[in-house]
Amino acid sequence: MSEQRIAIFPLTQVVLFPRVQTPLHLFEPRYLQMAEHVLAGDRTVGMVTVPPEYAADMQGDPPVYPVGCAGRITRSRRQPDGRFHILLEGIHRFRIAREPARPEDQFYRVAEIVRLEDVYDSADAPRIGKLRAQVIEQVRTLVGRSRAGRGIEISPASFEALDDLAFVNSLCNALAFSSEEKQGLLELDPIRERFERLQALLSFRLAEISTPAGPDPGVIH
């Protein structure tokens, strides 16, 4: 596979998925520089997640998980004070091959990446169809039990415009999982396995909130 060089944006709590949009607010000088350079080029940024144990090292170059998601800036607005508001749309997953040294006047990190494909085997379609129905029912139950979700109607029709990849990635992004859980979902190549992991995480969350002292599910971020 050919490698591509890309600017990377490490965060602790954001995991981007293909075909999902994420708004971002840029204010650090290195990421303002990154935005200027990227907007003048192909508008592509690689979102990568910093493991929680390195969250205190964010001012430097902390380690990141090796699998991330490339996103394209579809909207950008620069504020009078120089900050940026951008909307990033996930394009494809990638694995970091290496981080080359950068020039002294370049503040943001870059990586050489290898594109990863989301594998959809047609033989998995019946299994995915069953999992999709189960996930919708689980989300409906969680939303119904959440204080914030009262009055929200969830049904298969709510998601019928989404194909299986967009469906599973949208829920992986939107549901209130930890960054480690979302990273684990992102790293799965076969779509069937991503559905299975999502269904298992939702089952655990339902079991957790069914205990007498269970927390409010806080379903959606």
Side-chain angles (χ1 to χ4, degrees):
M1 293 185 180
S2 61
E3 295 181 1
Q4 171 190 0
R5 184 169 292 196
I6 191 173
I8 59 171
F9 187 9
L11 289 174
T12 56
Q13 299 297 322
V14 177
V15 179
L16 181 66
F17 287 83
R19 299 178 61 184
V20 172
Q21 293 185 333
T22 297
L24 295 169
H25 174 55
L26 310 182
F27 56 88
E28 291 187 50
R30 55 182 163 176
Y31 299 127
L32 298 180
Q33 183 192 61
M34 179 191 73
E36 291 173 351
H37 290 182
V38 167
L39 287 168
D42 63 3
R43 305 176 71 90
T44 303
V45 175
M47 294 300 302
V48 289
T49 304
V50 176
E53 62 268 28
Y54 297 106
D57 301 330
M58 289 299 292
Q59 295 304 311
D61 288 347
V64 297
Y65 290 111
V67 174
C69 182
R72 181 167 290 117
I73 299 176
T74 58
R75 296 182 196 170
S76 66
R77 185 173 74 251
R78 189 157 201 176
Q79 305 301 303
D81 61 4
R83 294 177 296 170
F84 275 99
H85 291 291
I86 65 172
L87 186 65
L88 199 63
E89 182 171 1
I91 308 169
H92 62 78
R93 299 177 309 122
F94 63 80
R95 182 177 297 278
I96 294 176
R98 63 188 60 83
E99 273 195 58
R102 58 184 187 263
E104 290 185 3
D105 60 351
Q106 179 180 299
F107 307 138
Y108 60 92
R109 296 163 70 175
V110 298
E112 292 178 1
I113 64 167
V114 176
R115 178 171 176 150
L116 299 176
E117 300 298 334
D118 293 299
V119 180
Y120 192 108
D121 189 332
S122 59
D124 290 335
R127 170 69 172 154
I128 288 175
K130 291 179 181 179
L131 287 165
R132 179 167 174 147
Q134 291 172 357
V135 166
I136 290 173
E137 182 60 24
Q138 289 173 315
V139 172
R140 186 194 67 78
T141 302
L142 281 170
V143 168
R145 295 184 184 181
S146 168
R147 289 189 295 271
R150 289 171 185 166
I152 299 176
E153 293 294 331
I154 301 292
S155 72
S158 306
F159 304 100
E160 63 185 8
L162 300 178
D163 62 29
D164 290 332
L165 178 59
F167 171 86
V168 71
N169 284 353
S170 295
L171 286 182
C172 288
N173 173 77
L175 293 171
F177 299 132
S178 69
S179 59
E180 301 104 300
E181 290 169 327
K182 291 189 176 189
Q183 181 68 29
L185 288 159
L186 180 71
E187 292 184 5
L188 294 170
D189 294 334
I191 297 306
R192 173 185 53 78
E193 291 185 11
R194 201 170 299 160
F195 265 95
E196 289 171 343
R197 179 77 62 84
L198 175 62
Q199 193 272 335
L201 287 170
L202 288 168
S203 293
F204 179 81
R205 198 68 86 246
L206 281 169
E208 185 180 41
I209 66 172
S210 295
T211 62
D216 183 274
V219 183
I220 306 294
H221 274 312

